[in-house]
């Protein structure tokens, strides 16, 4: 039994779509277009450098329950905003960290919903089917 084209591409689509939630959420807090562009670029960079390797590791370890996606995303988002706070001076860093946790958890959730790492993969093609 062959996998569908969607099944073959769902993880790639997830990693392209999920980081877009960062500028969507941040528009509620920030009105500066340059900051939103930088946040979007940072979201993709963090997704490629941190989230993708973590995703692959967790999938290899079979730690694919839904609860891990927003939890890991929240930690990554908080750590990212902690780094931003250390580079710039903010009056209310707790608010900024909360935004980081919210956006990170949202990215993790959307990534999980699209990629569905909990579903068994057949490996593609007839040789993987039993």
């Amino acid at each position: 039994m062959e996998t569908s084209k969607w099944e073959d591409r769902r993880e790639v689509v997830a990693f392209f779509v999920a980081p877009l939630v960062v500028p969507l959420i941040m528009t509620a807090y920030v009105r500066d277009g340059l900051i939103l562009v930088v946040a979007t670029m940072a979201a993709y960079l963090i997704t490629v450098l941190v989230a993708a390797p973590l995703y692959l590791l967790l999938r290899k370890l079979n730690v694919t329950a839904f609860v891990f996606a927003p939890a890991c995303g929240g930690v990554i988002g908080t750590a990212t905003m902690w780094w931003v706070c250390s580079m710039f001076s903010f009056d209310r860093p707790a608010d900024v960290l909360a935004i980081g946790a919210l956006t990170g958890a949202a990215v993790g959730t959307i990534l999980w919903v699209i990629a569905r790492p909990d579903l068994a993969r057949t490996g593609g093609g007839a040789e993987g089917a039993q």
Side-chain angles (χ1 to χ4, degrees), residues 16-109:
F16 275 108
V17 172
L20 290 174
V21 76
V22 172
L24 293 175
I25 291 175
M26 288 192 68
T27 56
Y29 301 99
V30 177
R31 298 288 185 240
D32 187 347
L34 180 60
I35 292 175
L36 293 175
V37 169
V38 170
T40 304
M41 291 172 29
Y44 278 102
L45 183 66
I46 296 297
T47 299
V48 168
L49 296 179
V50 180
L54 180 61
Y55 173 85
L56 294 173
L57 174 66
L58 291 176
R59 195 180 71 187
K60 181 176 177 145
L61 296 173
N62 203 27
V63 180
T64 58
F66 170 74
V67 69
F68 292 105
C72 289
V75 169
I76 292 169
T78 303
T80 301
M81 291 308 276
W82 184 270
W83 178 72
V84 169
C85 286
S86 71
M87 296 199 56
F88 303 100
S89 177
F90 289 108
D91 292 336
R92 294 175 287 176
D95 294 347
V96 174
L97 295 178
I99 293 168
L102 172 68
T103 57
V107 169
T109 299

Side-chain angles (χ1 to χ4, degrees), residues 4-6 21 33 43 45 52 56 71-72 77 112 116 118 120 122 126:
S4 70
K5 287 183 180 183
W6 168 246
V21 76
L45 183 66
L56 294 173
C72 289
W112 188 93
R116 290 304 305 266
D118 61 323
T122 62

